[in-house]
Every structure is written in C-alpha cells, then in structure tokens.
Amino acid sequence: DQQVKQNSPSLSVQEGRISILNCDYTNSMFDYFLWYKKYPAEGPTFLISISSIKDKNEDGRFTVFLNKSAKHLSLHIVPSQPGDSAVYFCAASVGSGNTPLVFGKGTRLSVIA
Amino acid sequence: DSGVTQTPKHLITATGQRVTLRCSPRSGDLSVYWYQQSLDQGLQFLIQYYNGEERAKGNILERFSAQQFPDLHSELNLSSLELGDSALYFCASSSHRESYEQYFGPGTRLTVT
C-alpha cells in the first residue's frame, strides 16, 4: 500500500519553461512534506519542504504547493535549467520531526536545452 | 557534500553471505536512518536509531540488523543474503532538534550474485 505516489515516472521539459512535478498521498496524518533531488551515483539532496499548515512555500526557482483537501502537492521549477535534470522524490512525515520519511517512487525530470 | 559518509561505495557478494555497511552521520546529528532503494522503487525506510537507541522500525527483514555506537556511527548488518537484497542502501542523519530534513549519504550499492 503506497502512501505517497508519484504517478509520472518521467517528465521532459524545454529549458526556460516551467516544470511541474506532482505527488499524491493517502495518509491524512502526514503533516510535513519534502522534495528531494537525486543525481546518479549520489544520495538524495533536500530541496524544499512545506508544513501542512501552509499551502505554498517558495525558494528561488522552486515553489511547492500543497492542497490538503485533495491530498496533493506539486513542485514547480521556473525557469527550468539543464542542471535540474535529475530524479525528484516526494516524501512525507508524521509528527514533530526526527521521524522516518515515506517516499514516492520518484519522477525523472529531463530538461532539454 | 551532505556531511554523511558511507562505506563501502560498492559491495559484491554471494548468496548466503553476510555484509556490514557503515555510516557516519553529520557532526552533531544524533539520529541515523537506514533506507533501501531497490530497482525502480522509492526509498523504503528500514530502521532509525537515536543516540544509540532504536527509535523506529520499518520493513526491515529479520535477517537484517543495525546498531548505533557511542561515537554515533551506525552499522547495518545483512545476513543470509539473497538475490533480492541487491539494492542501494542509504544512510541519513538529522539534528537532535525537531527537524524534518534528513541528510543523505552517497549510498552503498550491494550486488548479490
């Protein structure tokens, strides 16, 4: 039973355009959400996060939107750059921190120059 | 560089054998997590240690065990290895404060032949 789902295994976007990566979750107890980026042969790197009490968090080119009623979050990257090409994982957590993360299977983003 | 180190980077062994994976967390982090990533899967949580004590357990097989030592480094022991244990094993650490972000090491790629 997958609690965090990333239904698009891959996404291809032109350089300079917007990339939108989607994530759905089923566990209503999740109260914190994170996005990680992973390059080949490296560990996942924390990118951006959002608490369930917010609906938007922005950090430079990266914005995460949370729709609690739909149990859906998305990561927007604007403008997309070739260096953004990587696998993006959505993760969720329950509690006040220092707890295990539940990950989706990831979406491979390719930004074409 | 996340500050989390893992050794070895690659490990090739035969079925039925036993291996030990090692992780050193970021300086000052008391929590260590182990995750497994099999082919085309997301990261699956195995086990968490906090300041030497087991704190949470995920889908960890009975053939697997872990511990965290007084210097806070952690080891994951995998025994009676099967072909299906071939995967990437990641270690992550987080601060002792209420912290959702986890910082990942580069992983150990285990191949069981």
Side-chain angles (χ1 to χ4, degrees):
Chain A
D1 176 31
Q2 248 197 307
Q3 299 184 67
V4 177
K5 299 177 186 177
Q6 294 178 255
N7 291 319
S8 298
S10 63
L11 175 67
S12 195
V13 170
Q14 281 214 305
E15 181 180 6
R17 307 293 287 266
I18 184 171
S19 295
I20 301 177
L21 295 95
N22 294 304
C23 177
D24 297 294
Y25 62 95
T26 57
N27 188 344
S28 56
M29 299 296 290
F30 287 142
D31 53 14
Y32 203 83
F33 302 89
L34 307 90
W35 285 92
Y36 281 82
K37 178 165 81 170
K38 186 182 181 303
Y39 292 119
E42 295 183 12
T45 302
F46 169 72
L47 193 57
I48 191 169
S49 61
I50 188 166
S51 164
S52 60
I53 62 173
K54 296 185 175 182
D55 55 18
K56 177 182 172 180
N57 188 27
E58 198 170 348
D59 183 2
R61 297 186 297 115
F62 303 92
T63 303
V64 55
F65 295 93
L66 175 62
N67 182 334
K68 278 188 67 177
S69 60
K71 294 192 178 72
H72 176 84
L73 61 155
S74 61
L75 174 68
H76 292 212
I77 307 173
V78 184
S80 301
Q81 299 173 353
D84 296 329
S85 297
V87 177
Y88 289 78
F89 290 99
C90 173
S93 175
V94 177
S96 57
N98 260 301
T99 54
L101 298 176
V102 180
F103 282 86
K105 290 188 178 183
T107 296
R108 182 178 301 278
L109 173 66
S110 299
V111 179
I112 304 160
Chain B
D1 185 354
S2 67
V4 178
T5 60
Q6 287 187 250
T7 56
K9 284 196 85 142
H10 302 277
L11 202 47
I12 302 174
T13 189
T15 54
Q17 295 298 304
R18 172 190 168 95
V19 297
T20 297
L21 312 184
R22 183 187 167 106
C23 167
S24 291
R26 292 187 319 163
S27 176
D29 284 357
L30 299 182
S31 268
V32 169
Y33 310 78
W34 287 96
Y35 293 86
Q36 178 192 56
Q37 185 185 20
S38 302
L39 193 63
D40 293 333
Q41 297 293 314
L43 284 78
Q44 300 287 324
F45 168 67
L46 295 177
I47 197 163
Q48 176 193 4
Y49 277 81
Y50 179 83
N51 202 20
E53 301 288 327
E54 182 184 304
R55 179 150 175 168
K57 218 166 183 175
N59 296 325
I60 187 166
L61 299 171
E62 283 194 18
R63 301 183 284 109
F64 296 1
S65 65
Q67 53 184 326
Q68 187 179 28
F69 295 87
D71 67 351
L72 301 178
H73 91 270
S74 177
E75 292 181 356
L76 179 67
N77 301 297
L78 315 176
S79 61
S80 303
L81 284 167
E82 301 175 1
L83 295 178
D85 297 326
S86 296
L88 272 167
Y89 291 84
F90 289 103
C91 166
S93 72
S94 65
S95 168
H96 64 281
R97 293 181 292 276
E98 288 184 359
S99 172
Y100 293 92
E101 290 83 17
Q102 296 177 16
Y103 297 88
F104 284 79
T108 293
R109 180 174 292 279
L110 173 66
T111 302
V112 182
T113 62

